[in-house]
Amino acid sequence: MRVLVTGAAGMLGQAVMPALAAGGHAALGLDLPELDVTRLESLRGALRDFRPDQVLHLAAFTRVDDCEAQPDEAFRVNGDGARNVALAAAEAGAAVLAVSTDYVFDGTATQPYLESDAARPRSVYGASKWAGEQAVREVHPRHAIVRTSWLFGPGGPNFVDTIVARARAGQPLRVVDDQRGSPTFTGDLAQGLLRLAACGATGTYHCTNTGDCTWYDLAAYVVGRAGLQVPLERTDTASFPRPAKRPAYSVLGNAAFEQKTGWRMPAWRDAVDRHLAATAGGTGRNP
Ligand SMILES: NC(=O)c1ccc[n+]([C@@H]2O[C@H](COP(=O)([O-])OP(=O)(O)OC[C@H]3O[C@@H](n4cnc5c(N)ncnc54)[C@H](OP(=O)(O)O)[C@@H]3O)[C@@H](O)[C@H]2O)c1
């Protein structure tokens, strides 16, 4: 495939680009400032020059709490930006795969969300990503939308690395134990995205590492596997107010993804182990 990637310098992009190279695909990764997804003409130009078969749209305004203070910017990047990418892909005859989020759901479920469940975002970030999803569906029939959650991986701020850094610094940790989801390793998600693209999947899919936990469970696992000794305490969302509301439960069911690709995403604990090993997080050395 010839694949153009937006947001290629982000945390997920840094896993997707080497995965594309390893798969023998011709890939062009673009990010700010050379490609701004809010500028339709610059997207059109990039697609005209590179002539991709597939566009992977990863670019987004992802700082969830900042989105609350900057709703116009969130909708401009995550909503209008996704529309522009899908429109430019449609015009250029390329399929589009856009990455979305568990934050499109309200978190009141008690079992894993299906792709067909109603979206009811509770944050500006979630609402802007949902607007992006709808725009992609509207303007490009050959689209795939892939919702994922709780990403961690090299090259971007993420919960796993933050826990390791704070525990190494000897800081006591208090972590919320009343939000449940599925941590997902960018390296595994990259494989999932490429498998979906390679089989020409269209429609909406959920793709996360398998299994679920609370943020507290994840912190406890990370601290243990990294061999760090630090006091770790449970807290709850009410005691730890943040600008953006988070869903209490946002586990995503992967059945449609598994059926389409014939592949099961690895378990989140296994993914954390591989990430810690790769970043030397498990050895007590600095990455
Ligand atoms: N991180 C998570 O836990 C998570 C969970 C679920 C879904 N997702 C989705 O997964 C995708 C990748 O997330 P990520 O964690 O890799 O995020 P990330 O590290 O923030 O990467 C996003 C990239 O997009 C760039 N970008 C921002 N505005 C842009 C614009 N107008 N035009 C072009 N590029 C722009 C960012 O540049 P700057 O850094 O300069 O802004 C950044 O390099 C996103 O669609 C996100 O919504 C993430």
Side-chain angles (χ1 to χ4, degrees), residues 7-18 150-162 184-190 271-281 287:
M11 185 169 69
L12 179 56
Q14 290 175 63
V16 164
M17 294 309 297
W150 294 23
L151 292 187
F152 64 91
N158 66 81
F159 180 85
V160 172
D161 292 352
T162 301
T184 302
F185 182 42
T186 51
D188 292 339
L189 178 59
V272 168
D273 290 351
R274 282 179 283 124
H275 175 63
L276 291 178
T279 57

Side-chain angles (χ1 to χ4, degrees), residues 7 16 21 48 63 74 87 120 126 172 175 183 197 205 216-217 226-227 239 284:
V16 164
R48 228 177 1 246
R63 296 185 309 279
L87 196 59
R120 265 187 225 99
V175 182
Y205 296 90
Y216 173 86
D217 299 332
S239 319

Side-chain angles (χ1 to χ4, degrees), residues 7 9-13 31-32 35-38 57-63 77 99-102 125 129 148-151:
M11 185 169 69
L12 179 56
D31 207 306
L32 291 171
L35 182 79
D36 181 343
V37 297
T38 66
H57 176 47
L58 317 179
F61 180 6
T62 58
R63 296 185 309 279
V77 176
V99 176
S100 189
T101 171
D102 55 329
Y125 170 72
K129 292 290 290 184
T148 190
S149 62
W150 294 23
L151 292 187

